[in-house]
Amino acid sequence: MSLMRPLSSSMRRILAQGLASCVRAVDDLVFPWTCLLCGTEGGALHGPLCASCRAGLLDAAAVAGASACPRCALPIGPYADLRRGCAECRGHSLGFDAALALAPYAESLRDLCLRLKHERNAWLAPWLGNLLAEARQSEFARLPRDTWIVPVPLHWRRRLQRGYNQAEALAKGLSRPLDLRIRQPLRRIKATDRLAHKAASDRMDAMRQAFRARPDPSLNGRTILLVDDILTTGATCGAAARALKQAGAKRVIVAVLARTL
Ligand SMILES: [Zn+2]
Ligand SMILES: [Zn+2]
């Protein structure tokens, strides 16, 4: 008969928790945690940002949200008449019905978006998706419960080069807090040249017919939350939204991290 009595499950749990916190403490000692934006060391959050940088982003999001055009997400003065969009988008067919962004593409959000372009920073995406869900929770709460989250797909060649699709990773970060399903009816059938330095009309031309949506009867009448990292002229999201609507989607709302000015 063994003299050692088997450990109870609660004792095993306490030992496992103790061991995990020891490992964490050693890890913190060898690789001290630093905030990605301000470089502050330490902190208990273990996300990429310290509490004050995170609060700063949420403050910027609150200011931007209060003065953004509901149609194209451009930051506009608080006294503008935005009923049919802002002066930039009024009268233009955008392809999508509404857009919301965490904040303008500037300062620390610009820094985070640039990091997100590299696969080694893919771990940031779910965290930023979560932040977007928190910052725009009142707008997201108005979505029908059967809304699909659809990330803007990359052309397979670009995806191969980059190693991952940041829009997909952001969508994952939004899916859990919003409790909405991710589906991918879209395919990017045209490899578009880099669009960053092109004029709006050239972007529109380049993006025409860039996406196709798989025929799917369950798309009929559906609301779609189309997710991407940055909204610039709206040509990419507009083309994706048009393809979704052609396949039966009723309403497309764009959600991005950053809106360029
Ligand atoms: Zn910080
Ligand atoms: Zn607008």
Side-chain angles (χ1 to χ4, degrees):
M1 199 177 81
S2 165
L3 292 174
M4 297 274 287
R5 279 182 30 217
L7 291 171
S8 68
S9 62
S10 58
M11 186 57 90
R12 275 203 300 269
R13 201 169 51 243
I14 290 166
L15 277 175
Q17 281 166 356
L19 196 65
S21 51
C22 280
V23 169
R24 242 188 340 262
V26 171
D27 188 49
D28 285 348
L29 214 61
V30 181
F31 305 105
W33 179 92
T34 55
C35 170
L36 208 59
L37 291 177
C38 71
T40 299
E41 280 194 16
L45 279 178
H46 281 273
L49 308 186
C50 69
S52 99
C53 285
R54 189 178 188 280
L57 267 180
L58 283 173
D59 284 349
V63 172
S67 62
C69 168
R71 209 167 160 247
C72 75
L74 256 190
I76 306 293
Y79 305 111
D81 176 9
L82 296 174
R83 270 170 296 177
R84 276 172 292 119
C86 65
E88 288 294 317
C89 72
R90 199 175 299 135
H92 297 293
S93 159
L94 300 175
F96 47 84
D97 301 276
L100 48 94
L102 181 68
Y105 183 68
E107 298 166 8
S108 50
L109 189 57
R110 181 174 175 275
D111 179 18
L112 291 168
C113 285
L114 289 172
R115 286 173 193 263
L116 215 54
K117 301 274 184 207
H118 304 282
E119 191 190 10
R120 64 174 182 276
N121 296 320
W123 63 278
L124 273 175
W127 190 90
L128 287 166
N130 262 278
L131 196 72
L132 177 60
E134 183 180 334
R136 295 279 167 263
Q137 53 184 310
S138 58
E139 286 99 323
F140 288 132
R142 291 198 288 265
L143 293 170
R145 297 312 310 146
D146 62 353
T147 299
W148 287 355
I149 296 182
V150 175
V152 172
L154 289 176
H155 189 263
W156 65 267
R157 214 175 300 140
R158 175 71 72 84
R159 197 197 153 100
L160 208 65
Q161 282 166 354
R162 188 171 288 171
Y164 93 121
N165 176 1
Q166 70 271 36
E168 236 167 64
L170 279 170
K172 282 183 190 149
L174 278 171
S175 168
R176 191 189 287 242
L178 302 186
D179 195 22
L180 297 175
R181 291 173 65 189
I182 300 177
R183 294 286 289 266
Q184 187 48 285
L186 285 175
R187 227 160 36 97
R188 198 159 184 151
I189 50 173
K190 204 161 104 179
T192 43
D193 296 321
R194 289 181 185 279
L195 298 176
H197 304 295
K198 293 198 171 184
S201 58
D202 293 342
R203 282 180 180 234
M204 288 289 186
D205 286 343
M207 290 313 298
R208 206 155 284 149
Q209 311 297 323
F211 298 93
R212 187 172 296 156
R214 235 189 348 262
D216 181 349
S218 51
L219 248 179
N220 276 340
R222 184 80 57 179
T223 298
I224 304 288
L225 188 66
L226 184 66
V227 176
D228 208 355
D229 55 347
I230 304 167
L231 186 66
T232 304
T233 60
T236 305
C237 285
R242 284 188 184 97
L244 287 164
K245 287 195 171 185
Q246 235 165 36
K250 184 174 145 211
R251 214 171 133 69
V252 178
I253 292 141
V254 170
V256 293
L257 278 182
R259 176 64 161 108
T260 56
L261 298 175

